[in-house]
Amino acid sequence: TPLNGGIFSSQLTPAGDLLLTGNSCAAPALKPTTTFGDTSQCGLIVARINPAGSYVFAAQLGAAQSGFLIVDPNGDVFVSGQAASSGFRTTPSAYRTAPPGSAPVANYLCKLRGADGTPVFCTFLEFGANMMAVDAADAAIFTVNPDFFVNSTLFRLDPTGSKLLSSVTTTGALTYVVPNTDGTFYVSGAAPNGNTFYARLDPAAGL
């Protein structure tokens, strides 16, 4: 792969293709098949490579500075990380079309179509947000730990990326989230006293 030295994350699709994210400036020879945002800045390349070693697509997200991958059962790609507040583009109906606050970098989340890498949505997220999982309803799950070890909030973002479906706050810093088939979540993290905790959360009930 031309993403030499600049790979951030990798995943396999349900079809067995390899997904990689990397810095576009570390792969100047790789020509994206689709672009989104300000590509005059270094951004993120999301590449899908089939078992024969050929590129299915290479999508460039302008101004995105990092990218963590999650693939849903349909093969669509969720990519999240940090992006420059200026130059990163959101889709028109995004949950957050502007970054929170005035920091030069902000957290983002994009959902890309597995077939060609074009965006279903791109949105800014709350400051310090971490993408954790995708549930059975194809909702993106992310957490925010505003006061590390004190409390965390788990959010569900609808499949169109336009609104929050639910949220639930728990004591401690969440580090792992596993969606259950009944809409609840198994979580683990660090309690304020430093001990590890495990819990089952139900966003619908606020618990």
Side-chain angles (χ1 to χ4, degrees), residues 40-134:
S40 67
Q41 302 185 43
C42 288
L44 188 78
I45 293 286
V46 182
R48 179 174 178 174
I49 305 169
N50 65 26
S54 300
Y55 281 89
V56 178
F57 66 76
Q60 183 174 353
L61 300 177
Q65 298 175 352
S66 60
F68 170 71
L69 289 168
I70 294 179
V71 184
D72 72 12
N74 300 316
D76 291 331
V77 183
F78 290 80
V79 56
S80 63
Q82 289 192 321
S85 297
S86 174
F88 182 78
R89 180 180 169 192
T90 62
T91 44
S93 60
Y95 161 59
R96 281 189 179 271
T97 56
S102 57
V105 295
N107 295 82
Y108 78 91
L109 170 64
C110 291
K111 179 181 179 181
L112 308 180
R113 295 177 178 88
D116 59 10
T118 56
V120 176
F121 69 79
C122 280
T123 182
F124 285 108
L125 296 177
E126 279 72 7
F127 179 76
N130 291 301
M131 173 73 175
M132 304 297 284
V134 177

Side-chain angles (χ1 to χ4, degrees), residues 10-34:
S10 62
Q11 287 284 332
L12 286 176
T13 71
D17 292 352
L18 177 64
L19 286 163
L20 298 171
T21 60
N23 188 301
S24 62
C25 290
L30 178 57
K31 303 301 181 184
T33 57
T34 185

Side-chain angles (χ1 to χ4, degrees), residues 145-162:
N145 302 324
D147 303 301
F148 195 64
F149 286 125
V150 178
N151 60 69
S152 300
T153 301
L154 181 149
F155 297 90
R156 294 179 67 239
L157 184 68
D158 88 307
T160 68
S162 61

